[in-house]
Amino acid sequence: RKRLSTLLNCSPGDVTFTSGGTESNNMVLYTVARSYAIPHVVLSAVEHDSVAKCADALHQQGLIRLTKVELNDKGTVTPQSVIEVCTTETRLVSVMLANNETGVVFPVAEISTKVKAKFPHILVHTDAAQAIGKLNVDVEELGVDYLTVVGHKFYGPRIGALYRRQSAPLVPLFFGGGQEQGLRPGTENTPMIAGLGLAAEIAGRNLKVEAQHMKLCRDYMEEKLREAFGNMFIVNCSTQPRLPNTSNFAINQTNCGSLNVLSRVNFIASKGAACHSHSTSTPSRILLNSGVEYDVAMKSIRVSLGVENTVQEIDTVVEDIVNVISELTRL
């Protein structure tokens, strides 16, 4: 607990261990629904399903009122667009720290500062699943009341945690023993909690070097693909700050739909979030909501790099893509 709190710059008592990001996100939304009378909740239109679908369900049950803020044509959510939909009845704003498909880093600190300056009563949550281990994630700098942690996104075990500012409410999702200060009953998964703590310590120690390395590999890959395909190579949301390891791109040529490409290459990538891999015939809603044209979205591929990837491996990936695109355009 102390290792994770050190990474997040909070007190150990502010951390509650959960089964993963889905539980952490649901816990925040249910807390707000149970703590206030039909509260107004504001989300970005591209939140992870564990935020979006939970909020949709609570809205359909009449437990919250819900507003989803669309992104601008550059693929980000602006503080002004969030403030414009907030009212005196708004109780929660939830905006992810970095998008899991485009890699765009959202201005959560600025959103939190400006929202709280006008509406001090509003609670702010960010799902930081994609950002931890790739960016410096400091709850004080972000100014948030809740922050979601997902262990396997930074080489830890498949377990999660929730940061909660002590002044913010937190209601358990279920009931039983008094574990986790009575907030998350059930026998603690001690080995996985220990693994999460160690992963947090390693992530904090190596953050700067590993982020620089991933960005170098990502930028090199995009440079080589641009050399190979020219204007046909499109990087989605490239004008915005992005995670150092994420590239979402399309080769805008005939027969080069993402599924055609992915079924032929010899490396692992995706057309969107891994947890949406069952959706094969439609483009990613995240890309469409990020201002990506339908045809480009249908051809888009997400490549996520890791700390162990090398420039030599990137050369192999680029060569593979070039060969596959050449094959497809001859069909």
Side-chain angles (χ1 to χ4, degrees):
R1 199 183 306 271
K2 189 174 188 307
R3 286 167 162 170
L4 181 57
S5 66
T6 298
L7 180 68
L8 301 177
N9 188 28
C10 65
S11 299
D14 298 339
V15 173
T16 300
F17 292 113
T18 66
S19 62
T22 294
E23 183 183 338
S24 296
N25 287 336
N26 274 247
M27 198 172 186
V28 172
L29 287 159
Y30 271 92
T31 288
V32 172
R34 291 172 177 171
S35 299
Y36 306 99
I38 315 181
H40 179 228
V41 173
V42 175
L43 312 179
S44 84
V46 295
E47 292 302 306
H48 187 272
D49 277 355
S50 60
V51 172
K53 289 187 175 181
C54 180
D56 288 341
L58 291 170
H59 176 60
Q60 289 163 9
Q61 295 166 30
L63 297 175
I64 67 170
R65 286 175 294 111
L66 180 62
T67 300
K68 294 183 181 181
V69 178
E70 297 296 331
L71 275 60
N72 63 16
D73 59 1
K74 295 180 173 57
T76 192
V77 57
T78 66
Q80 187 58 35
S81 66
V82 174
I83 292 170
E84 285 174 354
V85 300
C86 289
T87 72
T88 55
E89 296 181 350
T90 306
R91 294 297 180 179
L92 178 71
V93 167
S94 182
V95 177
M96 59 182 12
L97 187 49
N99 187 263
N100 50 320
E101 293 193 22
T102 64
V104 171
V105 179
F106 292 157
V108 170
E110 187 181 358
I111 289 170
S112 181
T113 297
K114 292 186 175 180
V115 165
K116 288 180 176 291
K118 189 170 183 179
F119 302 99
H121 68 281
I122 293 180
L123 300 165
V124 178
H125 165 246
T126 190
D127 180 350
Q130 298 296 324
I132 296 175
K134 306 172 191 77
L135 304 175
N136 181 46
V137 177
D138 184 318
V139 297
E140 293 303 323
E141 290 181 1
L142 293 171
V144 294
D145 300 288
Y146 306 100
L147 183 142
T148 295
V149 177
V150 179
H152 66 271
K153 299 296 185 180
F154 55 100
Y155 299 96
R158 290 183 179 273
I159 193 171
L162 178 66
Y163 159 78
R164 182 271 304 244
R165 193 175 297 276
Q166 287 298 316
S167 57
L170 190 59
V171 176
L173 279 176
F174 37 86
F175 302 89
Q179 292 89 350
E180 293 302 292
Q181 304 174 70
L183 295 171
R184 206 285 180 178
T187 304
E188 296 95 336
N189 192 337
T190 306
M192 295 186 81
I193 289 173
L196 179 64
L198 181 57
E201 181 180 290
I202 294 170
R205 185 168 65 233
N206 300 335
L207 178 63
K208 186 174 181 180
V209 171
E210 291 182 347
Q212 287 177 341
H213 172 72
M214 288 186 287
K215 184 177 186 301
L216 183 150
C217 290
R218 192 272 310 277
D219 291 350
Y220 177 76
M221 180 184 69
E222 292 180 352
E223 176 187 346
K224 291 299 180 182
L225 288 171
R226 189 170 288 108
E227 289 176 3
F229 298 106
N231 292 336
M232 293 297 101
F233 175 67
I234 300 170
V235 179
N236 296 318
C237 306
S238 61
T239 63
Q240 295 302 301
R242 290 184 292 157
L243 293 172
N245 75 316
T246 304
S247 181
N248 193 301
F249 62 84
I251 311 297
N252 197 19
Q253 294 188 11
T254 304
N255 292 331
C256 295
S258 54
L259 294 180
N260 281 344
V261 175
L262 291 170
S263 65
R264 289 169 168 81
V265 295
N266 296 307
F267 60 91
I268 298 173
S270 66
K271 66 186 286 288
C275 45
H276 302 155
S277 58
H278 58 280
S279 302
T280 58
S281 60
T282 58
S284 159
R285 71 170 178 88
I286 302 297
L287 293 183
L288 296 179
N289 285 331
S290 298
V292 177
E293 294 180 3
Y294 186 96
D295 187 54
V296 174
M298 285 295 289
K299 298 173 180 175
S300 292
I301 296 170
R302 181 190 68 167
V303 175
S304 297
L305 303 176
V307 298
E308 295 181 349
N309 286 128
T310 65
V311 170
Q312 290 73 27
E313 289 174 332
I314 299 301
D315 284 329
T316 301
V317 166
V318 171
E319 182 181 3
D320 195 11
I321 293 173
V322 170
N323 290 338
V324 166
I325 297 298
S326 177
E327 173 192 339
L328 288 171
T329 53
R330 289 196 303 268
L331 294 178

